Amino acid sequence: MKLSFLLNGEPQVIEDVEPTTSVLDWLRVNKRLTGTKEGCNEGDCGACTVIVIDENGARAVNACIVFLPQIANKALRTIEGISTLDAPHPAQQCMIDHHGSQCGFCTPGFITSMVAAQINNDTNHDVTLAGNLCRCTGYAPIFRAAQACEGTKSPKWFYDDQSDLRTLAQSVDAKLPTTTDELANILAEEPETTLIAGATDVGLWINKDLRDIAPMAFIHNITEMEHITEHSDHWKFGANVTIEQMRVWSVDAQASLTPLLTRYASTQVRNSATLGGNIANGSPIGDSPPALIAMGAKLVLLKKDTTRTIDLQDFFIAYGHQDLQSGEFVQSILIPKNQNNLRCYKISKRFDQDISAVCGAFNLHIKDGMVQGARIAFGGMAGIPKRAKHVEACLTGQKWDMNTIKASHDQWSQDFKPLTDMRASADYRLSVARNLLTRYFYDLSDNPTEIQEVSA
Amino acid sequence: MSVNKPLPHDAAKLHVSGSARYIDDLPVPDDCLHLCFGTSTIARGSIQEMDLTTVRNSDGVIDILQASDLVHANDVSPSIHDEPLLSDGTIHYLGQPIFLVIAKSHIQARKAASRVKISYQQDSPILSIEDALAANSRFEEGPRIWNRGDLKRGFEQATKIAEGSIEIGGQEHFYLEGQAALALPQEDDEMVVHSSTQHPTEVQHKVAEALGVQFHNVRVEVRRMGGGFGGKESQGNALAMACAIAAHRTNKPCKMRYDRDDDMLITGKRHDFRITYRAGVDQHNKIIALDVVHYARCGWAQDLSLPVADRAMLHADNAYFLPNVRIESHRLKTNTQSATAFRGFGGPQGVLGMERIMDHLAHDLNTDSIAFRDVNYYRPAVAAEHDTTHYHMPVQDFNLQDMTTKLLADCDFENRKQAIERWNADNHIMKRGIAFSPVKFGISFTLSHLNQAGALVHVYSDGSIRINHGGTEMGQGLFQKTAQVAAEEFGVSINAIKITATDTAKVPNTSATAASSGSDLNGMAIKIACENVKTRMAELLAAQYNKSPDDVAFIKNEVHIGRRVLSFGDAAKACYEQRVSLSATGFYKTPDLEWDRIRGVGKPFYYFAYGAAVSEVVIDTLTGEYRILRADILHDAGNSLNPAIDIGQVEGGYVQGAGWLTTEELVWDDHGRLRTHTPSTYKIPAMSDRPREFNVNLWDRGNLKPTIYCSKAVGEPPFMLGISAWLAISDAISNCGPAYPNLDAPATPERVLKAVERVQNGL
């Protein structure tokens, strides 16, 4: 594989490198750029945050779970490339002035996250910095530092990188398909090929399970799959749309998804993770499937010469088993528009950047105080993302009130037999799932019970 | 001119530019080898057969070491030599190192180690407190028991008695920089070791034992750690020894760093505790009798568990006078990671136990919980019989009455409490809670001889100054504080001071940087070293200008000799030319300590540090979720050496303490496998978990004891202020019904919901 990209403004061409070499290892071992730190090697701490720049802008990602082929044709900025010692970036000076570093190990990652957020003009620091863990400061001084450097102009190197990318030689490789046809051909020849889009899941197979995932193909260059397009009654999401793209889309198009998507992992992970990947990996605890199932989303599956469209809920057959034929891949997701009654609730030990113990999505059709139709789907309650069919049936045709909700009490255990694990017990999962219907009731009654909205 | 200033961390510029070096960032020769342990997959038993063929044939593997390959000591223990570096065939916990892979790269070493095939004879592991009690599996011959007063009479006089039990979970350190070490072999059997350790001298000793050489052959250097929190007091020994042994064997540099999962599976954590209690109060709401039992799960090796459990007993009073008290402490041996030092060192568990008792009693008495605390505070100024701890140490510097009053006024406590009551009356799903908690924390190592420190100060002939001491920098700002002391002593600006990596070849026989002692001990040692140099300079300069040494003053980068003024640099040059030694050591030992840990009697501490906090939370009674809305803290750092650094310790300590008691849950399964061995499953606080409103102030009174510039130690005490957040959650739950919430820790959303349901159902 021959890859070209920019590193701190300098063109790089690398060959004969293992495609599963992480950007972090390459920076630290090959380039001896040790400012980017390894804290967890799984994308959960942010110590390895670097900035990736392309024509779409700048975004923070976790270098430990980005593999070299994923930055082909892009510009990479590390902590070493954002300033000089004589002229620190304002984020750096503010971190010094506000005592934002103690042991200093997480600091470069915080700085790169802050700089990326500034380029994107995003001052929601609780969100932009949710993916950076600090064990020393209690975050208060870091937050103050982030506030203090709001409004900083984008650095010159950001524009330089964007313009230099236009003249950069393109990386070309058979394992870097640029069209769905190419991908279909790869899968036709080698159906067992591991597809890598954002690598936020596959990265852990490599870094933690030490798995050999060959043969593999990196699909992030398939630009035809990276768009969100509006149709008469639905939105079409290419499988490569990142969760962050979806989150930004949701603000105007489907606001009830925004809080859920804002708590989907962290900024760095959302910038890499794709909607297609979140579905195709078949996880029972992915955060997008319950919401999409509750909305009645459909999946477009492609294979050399054939296309089929199925209901998303039918894609998940059993734990680790999806309705995906040999040579087939997820091409796009069709999401019905204007789901006004959709509400999504994620329950986890930690509010931000945690994996759901329970993730529930409710979408009831209510007319004249009566439940006309119900779609309720949960993650974390079974081996697959699953609808609460008994509960739905119990509610449908009934008056939308607390008595109906109470009457559904015993249906929940008909629908779900959750597991006990390190995130939560089976009892808790079932109790909470049940209680979330009550929360939903208050929510639709314009009387939300949202602790996020409470202040001292 | 330098002390008391809020100067930034000495390495802040290096931190923000990514140029601060940690072990894994040090440039190493290309032939550096990398190590990884192969670890056990069962919790208890013995190895029947181990097939290392695929490991040996794995890419990049140079060598594999087993216990039988170790020529000298196979022991990483900081205490009683019960902790082999590599298993001798017996397995004591799941994650125990069995063999050591030496390979050309980190990833090759990891991959190779994962390919071993081991068959085990499995025994039933001792995992829980019940298991350990049933098997009488413990350290020491039986429980430690301390008594004071007449417990029986106390209970007879009691008008109200509360009984209960609390489970207190452990805590993973989650230092952002994992454990790491690098060994560089030298000529003539010498070894240089770079270690991410709080205790370079112990690493020196363990490495020397492993190599079979005298201590003087090993030099250990520590520039900084990426966080320690106690987790690098003894847990780095294994890596440093492995590197040294491998480096000696291969004659090549060897580096080892744990992958995060290995780090969490192999190393010890905070001790989890169960505390049971029976407490009685008299008609004046004074605690008249207290019977407490601590059960500490220590894991498989002794490590530092005895002093940890002792410190829990020492803090079983927190801030309250206990006339009749009995404390029993069981140090249980289980087939889990060997629990180790963690900020507070048992103190937090003891304090939490007592605050739980106070909360429970106040609830049952239906009395104001703060007034109840106040009435039970130590009262040294009022009554002599009300001022000694359960271990018979007088409390002479108690200032929590005044601190409590000020904090409550500053944070508008009464009005807010009433507003919260009104809000709760209108809200049925969400409930708010508010709570206060104090802390009194004893400062000194309880192993008295550890309370010593050395320093080395060089003044160069241009007036620049280089200082060194035995304390290590883990982010707490120790280096900057000691540099400020040196700048103050010489009357020079902070830029004149260069502080250098801790090095066993510069200052020998050091104690761990632990027990909050860093600046107290090393600051004083630096001050004494500076005074030694200054005395010589003053004598020379006074003689030159026919003045008395008393006429010589070091101020504002100058030396004043009567009316003559020299720049500090010129003064240094003059001293050099007159052949005056401009280098000196300093040595300090804490006075007035005596302690009998078996009887539980004496003066284990030089003084106490105090703090007080109010936290406000909101909970969701449908899900058990919660938020910390606001925290207000008043903390006693004495005459702060650096208020910015001290406030940083307070803010960070509070959030870490609140994390311990809320989202940070360690879960082991029935096989003894830690299921929470990654940051995806073990949840330390993130940015949005900090209190939304966070007001921290320092109590501005100097230490009554002559500590360094009358400052107070600040590393550990604020950790316990996080208890107020847990109490506030309990307070919110108690608004759901009349029963006492009986909340365990950590108060995960699941535990909160369970407690809500209990209280709602009146159980």
Side-chain angles (χ1 to χ4, degrees):
Chain A
M1 211 173 252
K2 184 172 172 179
L3 304 170
S4 56
F5 56 90
L6 295 176
L7 170 63
N8 295 331
E10 296 291 322
Q12 308 281 319
V13 179
I14 54 175
E15 289 177 84
D16 301 328
V17 65
E18 276 284 319
T20 53
T21 303
S22 71
V23 169
L24 177 63
D25 280 347
W26 182 76
L27 286 171
R28 291 184 56 84
V29 178
N30 297 56
K31 303 303 284 186
R32 299 209 171 180
L33 288 174
T34 54
T36 308
K37 308 298 182 193
E38 178 180 318
C40 69
N41 203 20
E42 63 168 29
D44 278 306
C45 79
C48 65
T49 304
V50 293
I51 303 169
V52 171
I53 295 162
D54 60 18
E55 70 278 8
N56 296 320
R59 56 193 179 275
V61 298
N62 289 312
C64 68
I65 49 170
V66 173
F67 297 100
L68 282 175
Q70 294 176 265
I71 57 163
N73 311 331
K74 298 183 192 298
L76 180 67
R77 282 278 162 180
T78 70
I79 186 73
E80 291 89 351
I82 64 159
S83 68
T84 60
L85 269 180
D86 312 331
H89 187 279
Q92 293 172 309
Q93 193 57 49
C94 287
M95 281 286 271
I96 295 172
D97 295 344
H98 290 267
H99 308 280
S101 74
Q102 286 184 23
C103 86
F105 198 83
C106 69
T107 313
F110 270 99
I111 298 282
T112 41
S113 282
M114 285 178 183
V115 173
Q118 279 174 349
I119 294 171
N120 293 317
N121 210 7
D122 190 341
T123 55
N124 193 349
H125 310 303
D126 278 325
V127 173
T128 60
L129 298 177
N132 291 84
L133 298 180
C134 166
R135 193 52 152 165
C136 298
T137 64
Y139 302 99
I142 299 175
F143 191 85
R144 288 178 209 124
Q147 281 182 314
C149 59
E150 282 174 11
T152 303
K153 274 192 280 180
S154 294
K156 182 172 173 296
W157 50 253
F158 167 65
Y159 303 104
D160 292 345
D161 280 358
Q162 281 198 318
S163 88
D164 291 350
L165 277 176
R166 287 177 209 125
T167 54
L168 189 75
Q170 292 294 293
S171 317
V172 180
D173 190 274
K175 298 300 186 186
L176 283 173
T178 56
T179 65
T180 50
D181 285 346
E182 286 172 27
L183 177 58
N185 283 331
I186 290 172
L187 284 170
E189 280 167 33
E190 287 188 299
E192 70 279 20
T193 299
T194 305
L195 302 189
I196 303 172
T200 54
D201 190 18
V202 177
L204 272 68
W205 307 355
I206 294 164
N207 292 356
K208 296 295 177 175
D209 302 343
L210 304 173
R211 249 194 262 174
D212 182 3
I213 59 157
M216 69 195 102
F218 290 87
I219 65 171
H220 59 278
N221 276 352
I222 305 177
T223 49
E224 64 190 276
M225 295 206 299
E226 69 183 26
H227 303 295
I228 305 170
T229 49
E230 186 170 6
H231 298 261
S232 58
D233 62 345
H234 69 274
W235 296 89
K236 183 179 175 186
F237 282 67
N240 276 350
V241 169
T242 65
I243 303 296
E244 182 61 16
Q245 263 179 284
M246 186 179 184
R247 189 181 79 88
V248 171
W249 158 86
S250 72
V251 173
D252 292 326
Q254 182 67 52
S256 59
L257 278 175
T258 313
L260 175 73
L261 294 173
T262 303
R263 290 177 60 194
Y264 183 110
S266 62
T267 300
Q268 292 94 317
V269 170
R270 286 195 299 275
N271 279 333
S272 293
T274 64
L275 184 58
N278 196 227
I279 292 166
N281 75 354
S283 167
I285 47 176
D287 278 342
S288 70
L292 297 176
I293 290 172
M295 295 166 86
K298 291 181 188 301
L299 211 51
V300 180
L301 301 166
L302 222 67
K303 187 180 174 174
K304 196 169 179 174
D305 306 327
T306 60
T307 305
R308 66 187 177 111
T309 302
I310 62 169
D311 282 337
L312 175 62
Q313 68 186 41
D314 298 332
F315 180 68
F316 303 101
I317 297 166
Y319 180 73
H321 183 205
Q322 289 80 256
D323 180 11
L324 194 66
Q325 295 165 7
S326 177
E328 207 170 43
F329 62 94
V330 175
Q331 187 248 12
S332 55
I333 301 95
L334 311 178
I335 304 178
K337 281 181 160 176
N338 302 327
Q339 306 286 304
N340 294 331
N341 278 356
L342 177 79
R343 297 290 185 280
C344 309
Y345 307 120
K346 171 171 177 163
I347 307 298
S348 51
K349 276 186 205 168
R350 185 172 72 196
F351 185 77
D352 278 315
Q353 215 222 134
D354 199 353
I355 292 169
S356 297
V358 173
C359 183
F362 297 82
N363 195 10
L364 265 56
H365 180 216
I366 296 157
K367 203 175 165 195
D368 303 330
M370 301 294 285
V371 180
Q372 306 280 339
R375 296 182 70 94
I376 300 173
F378 271 81
M381 295 291 287
I384 52 170
K386 187 168 173 267
R387 275 177 78 174
K389 296 259 177 143
H390 288 86
V391 176
E392 290 174 2
C394 181
L395 301 177
T396 305
Q398 303 298 313
K399 204 163 162 232
W400 178 230
D401 61 15
M402 282 307 293
N403 287 331
T404 298
I405 289 171
K406 283 199 182 101
S408 73
H409 185 278
D410 293 340
Q411 302 305 311
W412 290 93
S413 54
Q414 299 292 311
D415 282 318
F416 299 115
K417 308 235 169 339
L419 291 176
T420 292
D421 67 11
M422 63 280 190
R423 294 197 175 86
S425 70
D427 281 353
Y428 176 73
R429 287 185 155 111
L430 205 52
S431 298
V432 163
R434 227 179 244 136
N435 289 352
L436 287 178
L437 183 58
T438 305
R439 178 189 279 187
Y440 182 62
F441 178 81
Y442 283 107
D443 215 338
L444 288 196
S445 325
D446 281 332
N447 188 18
T449 61
E450 182 46 75
I451 56 172
Q452 291 302 313
E453 303 301 322
V454 179
S455 60
Chain B
M1 62 190 280
S2 182
V3 155
N4 310 131
K5 274 194 183 165
L7 299 178
H9 193 284
D10 63 284
K13 272 188 184 167
L14 305 182
H15 294 155
V16 301
S17 59
S19 47
R21 282 176 179 172
Y22 305 80
I23 302 287
D24 197 37
D25 305 333
L26 298 173
V28 290
D30 282 339
D31 63 350
C32 183
L33 300 174
H34 301 261
L35 315 183
C36 183
F37 285 129
T39 57
S40 71
T41 53
I42 66 160
R44 188 181 179 205
S46 52
I47 297 168
Q48 276 188 324
E49 218 179 301
M50 179 156 63
D51 181 358
L52 290 165
T53 318
T54 48
V55 182
R56 209 173 289 284
N57 294 338
S58 198
D59 285 349
V61 170
I62 302 289
D63 204 354
I64 303 166
L65 301 187
Q66 298 173 247
S68 54
D69 298 312
L70 304 180
V71 184
H72 301 285
N74 179 19
D75 173 50
V76 304
S77 165
S79 52
I80 58 159
H81 310 297
D82 60 346
E83 202 173 335
L85 171 68
L86 299 174
S87 167
D88 57 8
T90 310
I91 301 300
H92 299 278
Y93 77 103
L94 199 154
Q96 184 180 348
I98 296 174
F99 62 94
L100 177 70
V101 176
I102 307 173
K104 286 183 182 166
S105 76
H106 174 72
I107 185 70
Q108 284 174 331
R110 283 182 61 215
K111 279 187 177 168
S114 72
R115 287 177 184 157
V116 69
K117 292 186 192 77
I118 304 176
S119 59
Y120 299 97
Q121 165 71 44
Q122 288 201 49
D123 296 330
S124 172
I126 295 169
L127 298 174
S128 65
I129 288 168
E130 288 74 18
D131 292 348
L133 287 172
N136 196 33
S137 175
R138 61 172 72 239
F139 297 101
E140 299 191 298
E141 67 295 344
R144 287 261 75 78
I145 300 169
W146 299 345
N147 284 295
R148 194 262 290 270
D150 185 339
L151 194 64
K152 187 160 169 286
R153 231 187 71 198
F155 277 118
E156 283 164 9
Q157 291 173 349
T159 52
K160 184 90 185 176
I161 290 174
E163 284 184 74
S165 173
I166 175 174
E167 304 288 329
I168 304 171
Q171 187 177 26
E172 160 65 36
H173 303 85
F174 211 85
Y175 26 67
L176 261 288
E177 179 214 23
Q179 305 277 348
L182 166 67
L184 304 158
Q186 312 291 310
E187 62 179 31
D188 197 20
D189 277 344
E190 282 193 41
M191 190 65 69
V192 171
V193 178
H194 295 268
S195 169
S196 185
T197 179
Q198 293 170 241
H199 202 344
T201 287
E202 185 166 273
V203 167
Q204 178 198 21
H205 295 181
K206 300 310 290 189
V207 165
E209 289 167 15
L211 298 178
V213 299
Q214 295 186 76
F215 294 165
H216 68 201
N217 284 41
V218 180
R219 184 168 81 75
V220 178
E221 187 178 317
V222 184
R223 175 56 187 89
R224 64 172 61 79
M225 281 161 272
F229 316 112
K232 292 174 179 171
E233 186 165 344
S234 63
Q235 304 299 298
N237 293 358
L239 300 89
M241 288 170 67
C243 286
I245 292 166
H248 180 75
R249 200 176 159 100
T250 59
N251 201 29
K252 288 188 172 152
C254 286
K255 181 157 80 172
M256 184 173 202
R257 63 182 173 90
Y258 287 158
D259 184 70
R260 179 61 64 178
D261 293 60
D262 284 349
D263 200 313
M264 294 176 80
L265 281 166
I266 294 171
T267 66
K269 294 136 206 347
R270 183 185 295 284
H271 292 67
D272 49 62
F273 269 58
R274 174 183 301 158
I275 296 180
T276 64
Y277 55 88
R278 184 161 182 262
V281 291
D282 67 12
Q283 69 273 26
H284 307 295
N285 279 355
K286 290 198 172 179
I287 298 169
I288 190 87
L290 179 61
D291 192 357
V292 181
V293 185
H294 289 177
Y295 300 93
R297 224 164 50 112
C298 301
W300 73 284
Q302 185 169 303
D303 189 77
L304 304 169
S305 291
L306 302 191
V308 167
D310 287 355
R311 191 170 272 268
M313 296 173 83
L314 286 163
H315 288 80
D317 59 337
N318 191 17
Y320 313 107
F321 176 67
L322 305 172
N324 305 296
V325 56
R326 180 180 184 279
I327 306 166
E328 181 176 312
S329 168
H330 298 260
R331 295 87 195 266
L332 302 170
K333 183 174 180 174
T334 51
N335 295 112
T336 47
Q337 291 78 359
S338 181
T340 190
F342 195 146
R343 200 176 197 171
F345 205 71
Q349 293 93 321
V351 171
L352 179 63
M354 189 61 206
E355 287 304 319
R356 160 56 168 268
I357 292 162
M358 298 306 284
D359 192 52
H360 193 169
L361 283 168
H363 180 272
D364 285 6
L365 290 163
N366 197 23
T367 189
D368 179 78
S369 68
I370 298 176
F372 177 59
R373 282 177 167 85
D374 188 74
V375 101
N376 282 288
Y377 273 158
Y378 287 100
R379 279 201 162 24
V382 177
E385 73 278 10
H386 215 121
D387 75 345
T388 54
T389 65
H390 52 294
Y391 44 92
H392 303 274
M393 175 172 165
V395 181
Q396 290 162 331
D397 53 5
F398 197 80
N399 56 19
L400 274 169
Q401 283 95 352
D402 292 346
M403 287 180 68
T404 304
T405 305
K406 176 158 171 43
L407 175 67
L408 296 181
D410 287 354
C411 77
D412 196 22
F413 184 87
E414 277 310 317
N415 287 330
R416 283 168 60 204
K417 192 171 165 62
Q418 284 168 23
I420 287 167
E421 277 166 19
R422 289 193 297 273
W423 194 88
N424 283 339
D426 293 340
N427 282 275
H428 300 288
I429 304 290
M430 295 184 286
K431 295 287 178 188
R432 289 199 206 199
I434 188 166
F436 163 86
S437 73
V439 62
K440 161 184 136 288
F441 195 78
I443 302 299
S444 289
F445 286 100
T446 58
L447 187 53
S448 298
H449 81 254
L450 297 178
N451 296 291
Q452 58 169 306
L456 178 64
V457 170
H458 299 325
V459 176
Y460 293 95
S461 57
D462 65 348
S464 65
I465 298 163
R466 195 169 167 99
I467 67 173
N468 195 277
H469 55 68
T472 55
E473 175 64 41
M474 61 196 96
Q476 82 280 42
L478 171 64
F479 278 20
Q480 183 68 317
K481 282 186 174 181
T482 53
Q484 285 177 254
V485 168
E488 183 81 16
E489 285 302 311
F490 284 113
V492 297
S493 61
I494 193 80
N495 307 334
I497 313 291
K498 182 100 181 164
I499 181 133
T500 53
T502 316
D503 186 335
T504 57
K506 288 182 181 160
V507 175
N509 309 322
T510 57
S511 295
T513 308
S516 305
S517 69
S519 51
D520 276 10
L521 296 178
N522 296 290
M524 204 56 117
I526 285 286
K527 183 169 189 282
I528 291 165
C530 293
E531 282 167 355
N532 290 341
V533 175
K534 271 167 61 181
T535 301
R536 290 180 211 144
M537 291 177 75
E539 282 169 359
L540 182 277
L541 295 167
Q544 274 198 335
Y545 295 100
N546 282 326
K547 292 280 175 187
S548 147
D550 293 343
D551 297 329
V552 180
F554 295 76
I555 42 172
K556 294 188 177 170
N557 297 308
E558 291 169 345
V559 183
H560 294 239
I561 310 113
R563 256 176 277 157
R564 293 291 302 234
V565 176
L566 294 178
S567 73
F568 185 79
D570 287 345
K573 188 157 176 274
C575 289
Y576 162 72
E577 285 167 353
Q578 293 302 313
R579 296 187 287 176
V580 170
S581 165
L582 290 173
S583 172
T585 60
F587 183 80
Y588 174 74
K589 56 182 175 179
T590 312
D592 302 334
L593 301 173
E594 50 171 318
W595 174 235
D596 179 343
R597 64 171 287 271
I598 303 300
R599 288 170 56 230
V601 174
K603 253 194 86 193
F605 304 123
Y606 188 36
Y607 64 91
F608 295 100
Y610 300 92
V614 169
S615 293
E616 182 180 341
V617 304
V618 60
I619 65 168
D620 180 335
T621 61
L622 292 174
T623 60
E625 295 163 288
Y626 46 80
R627 309 290 296 159
I628 302 177
L629 302 174
R630 176 172 168 180
D632 295 80
I633 293 173
L634 186 57
H635 193 81
D636 165 27
N639 186 11
S640 171
L641 289 175
N642 180 323
I645 284 174
D646 285 351
I647 286 173
Q649 288 297 297
V650 177
E651 289 172 335
Y654 172 92
V655 169
Q656 198 177 64
W660 169 48
L661 299 174
T662 55
T663 58
E664 296 187 39
E665 186 179 33
L666 291 163
V667 180
W668 284 267
D669 67 17
D670 295 342
H671 304 288
R673 175 182 294 277
L674 179 67
R675 303 307 308 225
T676 49
H677 54 79
T678 65
S680 61
T681 47
Y682 183 78
K683 311 311 286 186
I684 70 166
M687 175 64 81
S688 68
D689 295 308
R690 77 191 187 288
R692 285 310 162 94
E693 195 177 335
F694 201 2
N695 305 309
V696 174
N697 286 294
L698 298 179
W699 176 248
D700 197 15
R701 303 262 172 95
N703 197 343
L704 296 178
K705 289 288 166 65
T707 50
I708 182 75
Y709 294 102
C710 294
S711 61
K712 282 194 179 185
V714 74
E716 292 164 296
F719 179 88
M720 280 146 277
L721 299 174
I723 291 171
S724 62
W726 180 85
L727 288 168
I729 292 172
S730 182
D731 181 55
I733 298 168
S734 71
N735 285 308
C736 299
Y740 183 66
N742 269 324
L743 186 63
D744 285 329
T748 56
E750 174 160 358
R751 285 211 179 82
V752 172
L753 184 63
K754 280 215 176 98
V756 165
E757 287 168 352
R758 269 199 310 273
V759 169
Q760 283 174 339
N761 298 329
L763 298 174

